[in-house]
Amino acid sequence: MTNLAIFKNQTVVSVGVQREPSEFAKATMGSNNYRRIQANTNGTFKRLVNGEQVGNAVRGEIDVIIIAWLNGISRTFYKEKYDPNKEATLPDCWSNLGDAPEDTAANKQSANCVTCQQNVKGSGDNGGKACRYQRRIAVVLANDPTGEVYQFNVPAKSLFGTSVGNKHGFVGYKKFLDANNALMDNVITTISFNSNANTMELQFSPERLTTDEEYHMVREAQKRPETKAYIMLTVAQTDGVKKQPPAVEAKPAPKVARSTEPEYEFDADAPSEPVKRVAKKQEAAPALKKSIADAVSAWGEDD
């Protein structure tokens, strides 16, 4: 409930009675009014409801509580380049956990993301990958007593950005909080634009711990059906886009050498993509003489 005076005639309502939404209201309010906070290249944040802006844009930074996120890094692929003059469509292919296309994807590019031809360096613009990394999270605005939940999309460059001082890319920020025994949904997080970056890059930093009131507000917000939906739905779905992309034929996946346990690093020349290092084949160690081998114990080494 908000504190806005929206009624022509207001009846007396008991402040001691908490009016809970009905099951019908719970089932419909999440699907009819999808909310998203959009970061723009001009350094502003906008609130969108069903794709339409509400209120004024905020410049520079916002304070939020991150209340839900997926463990995996999502991927999204558009066959056609973005054109603001064309009608928006759903992605051709996407994966919430970055492992395999979702069942509802219209133009699946491969059976899984590891062997997908769109996951190969050079398949996209400027030598990058055509399939883009991103992280969809659910947030509530700090100091907002209504506890409205919003989707927030963390683009690829903002995922793996280098940590500078107390400001981090999203992946580094989560590791920073984990190392300090802080839970992300118990912290007020400042999301700001990196003024030293050549292109749009977001940074995450801890502002303070949540108050008791904020803690309980977050717990209630985490129970709402839209909270889970926001970390699963693509941005296009959240904005109410329903048009399917043009049908395309998937090409056979090329043979690519890949390490079994990929490591990600931030590449300044291609900052929008994490780089997968290929494990080098180790040469076989020379055989030890029997007399020496018998005198040495076997040692194990953790990877």
Side-chain angles (χ1 to χ4, degrees):
M1 298 291 291
T2 67
N3 294 322
L4 296 176
I6 61 175
F7 301 107
K8 183 177 180 180
N9 295 303
Q10 178 62 55
T11 57
V12 177
V13 178
S14 173
V15 295
V17 178
Q18 181 65 35
R19 298 190 176 189
E20 297 292 340
S22 66
E23 292 303 316
F24 174 78
K26 290 179 181 179
T28 56
M29 64 184 179
S31 59
N32 291 341
N33 293 299
Y34 280 127
R35 299 174 181 270
R36 182 166 69 88
I37 296 176
Q38 174 181 286
N40 304 289
T41 55
N42 65 353
T44 63
F45 298 93
K46 292 181 180 179
R47 289 184 300 151
L48 305 176
V49 176
N50 298 331
E52 298 293 331
Q53 180 178 345
V54 294
N56 296 323
V58 176
R59 182 168 296 279
E61 64 182 35
I62 56 173
D63 289 337
V64 304
I65 308 171
I66 302 172
I67 66 171
W69 58 93
L70 288 176
N71 290 328
I73 298 176
S74 303
R75 301 172 188 254
T76 302
F77 169 72
Y78 282 90
K79 180 69 175 179
E80 296 187 346
K81 292 184 178 181
Y82 173 71
D83 185 345
N85 297 319
K86 287 186 177 181
E87 183 182 359
T89 69
L90 295 171
D92 288 80
C93 188
W94 73 90
S95 172
N96 286 318
L97 297 177
D99 52 357
E102 299 301 318
D103 292 338
T104 51
N107 298 322
K108 299 180 181 65
Q109 298 296 296
S110 178
N112 61 73
C113 296
V114 175
T115 60
C116 181
Q117 71 272 16
Q118 310 298 353
N119 188 38
V120 178
K121 238 184 161 181
S123 59
D125 295 334
N126 302 319
K129 298 178 181 179
C131 189
R132 314 297 288 181
Y133 286 91
Q134 60 179 221
R135 201 82 176 252
R136 293 185 293 273
I137 60 179
V139 305
V140 296
L141 292 169
N143 303 316
D144 180 6
T146 67
E148 292 286 4
V149 183
Y150 295 83
Q151 182 189 67
F152 189 90
N153 181 59
V154 185
K157 188 177 180 181
S158 304
L159 286 173
F160 306 100
T162 303
S163 296
V164 178
N166 209 27
K167 296 182 177 181
H168 315 264
F170 184 83
V171 173
Y173 180 59
K174 188 176 185 308
K175 291 180 179 179
F176 173 79
L177 293 180
D178 290 343
N180 287 276
N181 297 318
L183 300 176
M184 194 141 58
D185 56 359
N186 282 348
V187 173
I188 302 295
T189 297
T190 298
I191 306 177
S192 59
F193 289 89
N194 182 357
S195 59
N196 293 317
N198 293 327
T199 57
M200 190 188 79
E201 180 181 341
L202 301 174
Q203 297 176 311
F204 298 79
S205 58
E207 176 66 21
R208 60 174 174 81
L209 289 174
T210 57
T211 64
D212 290 345
E213 292 78 9
E214 290 168 335
Y215 170 84
H216 292 295
M217 182 263 292
V218 166
R219 292 297 174 268
E220 289 302 314
Q222 288 172 329
K223 298 176 184 178
R224 298 179 186 174
E226 64 266 33
T227 299
K228 183 177 180 180
Y230 286 160
I231 61 176
M232 302 293 288
L233 296 177
T234 66
V235 170
Q237 290 171 320
T238 306
D239 286 351
V241 175
K242 297 181 179 180
K243 183 180 179 180
Q244 294 291 344
V248 295
E249 182 179 354
K251 299 178 181 179
K255 294 182 179 179
V256 181
R258 302 176 187 276
S259 59
T260 55
E261 295 184 4
E263 298 178 5
Y264 298 107
E265 64 181 10
F266 185 76
D267 185 352
D269 295 330
S272 61
E273 302 293 344
V275 178
K276 184 177 292 183
R277 299 177 185 154
V278 180
K280 295 182 179 179
K281 185 177 180 181
Q282 295 183 347
E283 297 180 359
L288 296 174
K289 294 182 180 180
K290 189 175 188 307
S291 59
I292 299 176
D294 292 342
V296 180
S297 300
W299 292 84
E301 182 177 334
D302 293 332
D303 293 332

